Amino acid sequence: MSTDLPHTSGAPTLEDVARLAGVSRATVSRVINGIRNVAPDIQEAVHRAIAATGYVPNRAARSLVTRRTGAVALVVSGAGDAEGGEPFESRVFADPFFGRVAGGVVGYLRPRGIHPVLMLADSAQTRDDVVSFLRQGSADGALVVSTHGEDPLPKLLVDAGLPAVLWARPARPIPISYVDLAHRAGAALAADRLVARGCRRVATISGPFDVPAAQDRLSGFQEAMAGHGHPYVPAVEGDFMPASGEAGMHRLIKEHPDIDGVFVANDLMAQGALLALRDLGRRVPEDIAVIGFDDSAAVTCRPPLTTVRQPMEDMAAEMARLLLAHAADPDFQVTSVIMRPTLVVRESA
């Protein structure tokens, strides 16, 4: 490798790197584009020359060779505005859950020089926009977080043959990779905790019945409580938003005024449930113990919320890893990864 830096008046070029590394321009191009038939010592020399010259590869030219864009779509797909509720985008950005997911994606992609493009798909038109964006080669694939069970976007992506990875098991079986949590096991952790505290009249506020994760949390909790000798657990349905947790808690207290423990299927609904209990003059945890799920908004609750923690950042990073593998290999086989929850004990239970 030459020790003399090239003297150029403009930005460093591929030729400058080649001259400093003592190799051909084609060899530098192969190293930059990740082509493997280059000896390790030559790769090292080229990387040193790139660092010394400050050369920045032309991403557009590189994508012509690698057929990769250096971007992936991070898609939050929902059912549009709830009737009489907040706009879809307001609900997305108000939920700490999505912040943790986005943080995990960025944390994995950024060191690899790949950037996420946030897209919201809450209507037929915006879902078509996502498919068109990917078909046009604007991103290497999609990381999809669906907010309702009947979301058609995952199947649209599969039918189009586009690389995609889904957060959580799809409601209907389709050949798409996904990363999920052992939700039933997490709900069982909540049941065990309430029973260990001495709770004897337990109820639950579930998520939407059409969402697989909500179904699993409900059935997992009920089965675990049955294993503890409690064959009947009153349940009301929420929509994963605080107002539904507040309404659900009021309904439970009205119909079952003697309950002393509640499992709430996510932290946002648990926030609303705690507000309702405060309004009703019920002390937490002295009168009613409350456990949430996610560990997304738990520390902001009053009292701080005991909750089942999803390792969201790890799950999001695993989604990104699978997507990059899929984009790099046309023969990639769809797969699933199921992670384990943990119980985080705070003051509410």
Side-chain angles (χ1 to χ4, degrees):
M1 177 173 171
S2 169
T3 57
D4 296 325
L5 289 175
H7 298 285
T8 59
S9 57
T13 65
L14 203 68
E15 288 77 9
D16 295 330
V17 175
R19 190 178 306 114
L20 187 59
V23 298
S24 69
R25 186 182 186 280
T27 297
V28 174
S29 180
R30 287 199 296 273
V31 171
I32 289 172
N33 291 320
I35 298 174
R36 297 177 181 176
N37 61 340
V38 180
D41 58 329
I42 294 178
Q43 292 186 45
E44 184 179 350
V46 170
H47 286 304
R48 286 201 305 267
I50 290 172
T53 60
Y55 174 71
V56 177
N58 184 309
R59 185 172 294 274
R62 183 179 179 183
S63 68
L64 292 174
V65 177
T66 64
R67 300 182 182 274
R68 304 284 291 278
T69 66
V72 301
L74 174 57
V75 186
V76 182
S77 184
D81 297 353
E83 186 175 347
E86 293 180 300
F88 178 65
E89 57 271 20
S90 297
R91 287 182 281 134
V92 169
F93 293 123
D95 190 342
F97 168 90
F98 295 109
R100 286 188 59 194
V101 172
V105 168
V106 172
Y108 185 86
L109 294 178
R110 184 166 55 183
R112 292 160 177 82
I114 299 171
H115 305 285
V117 178
L118 178 63
M119 304 185 75
L120 302 181
D122 59 338
S123 66
Q125 180 59 58
T126 52
R127 285 188 285 272
D128 288 344
D129 291 343
V130 171
V131 174
S132 297
F133 183 79
L134 295 171
R135 276 180 166 160
Q136 293 166 5
S138 300
D140 295 325
L143 303 168
V144 182
V145 181
S146 291
T147 63
H148 67 106
E150 296 302 318
D151 183 8
L153 181 60
K155 189 174 187 303
L156 291 174
L157 296 170
V158 169
D159 290 346
L162 295 165
V165 178
L166 189 60
W167 176 282
R169 183 180 86 247
R172 301 181 186 276
I174 55 174
I176 190 170
S177 295
Y178 65 84
V179 176
D180 205 349
L181 188 79
H183 296 281
R184 298 166 76 94
L189 292 175
D192 294 346
R193 176 65 181 176
L194 291 173
V195 170
R197 282 189 56 86
C199 297
R200 299 182 58 82
R201 296 169 298 279
V202 173
T204 183
I205 302 173
S206 83
F209 291 152
D210 67 336
V211 175
Q215 297 168 7
D216 288 350
R217 293 176 195 181
L218 176 60
S219 60
F221 185 71
Q222 290 172 328
E223 289 174 6
M225 290 303 300
H228 287 295
H230 299 267
Y232 173 64
V233 175
V236 296
E237 181 184 12
D239 64 3
F240 285 145
M241 297 304 290
S244 70
E246 186 172 6
M249 193 73 253
H250 276 286
R251 179 180 165 189
L252 284 175
I253 294 295
K254 180 179 179 180
E255 297 177 0
H256 308 276
D258 60 345
I259 59 175
D260 58 2
V262 179
F263 168 54
V264 189
N266 83 332
D267 289 353
L268 286 184
M269 289 195 300
Q271 279 186 326
L274 291 173
L275 287 175
L277 291 172
R278 189 178 308 154
D279 291 342
L280 293 166
R282 301 293 183 99
R283 299 171 301 164
V284 178
E286 293 85 356
D287 299 327
I288 299 181
V290 178
I291 296 180
F293 204 109
D294 286 342
D295 202 23
S296 60
V299 295
T300 64
C301 293
R302 291 294 176 268
L305 185 67
T306 293
T307 190
V308 178
R309 179 177 175 82
Q310 293 198 68
M312 294 182 199
E313 292 82 1
D314 293 341
M315 294 169 70
E318 182 64 12
M319 287 177 67
R321 186 191 70 80
L322 290 176
L323 182 63
L324 296 187
H326 190 176
D329 181 5
D331 299 321
F332 180 82
Q333 296 295 309
V334 297
T335 189
S336 58
V337 176
I338 309 298
M339 295 195 175
R340 303 296 299 182
T342 55
L343 183 71
V344 181
V345 176
R346 298 191 178 95
E347 295 177 24
S348 70

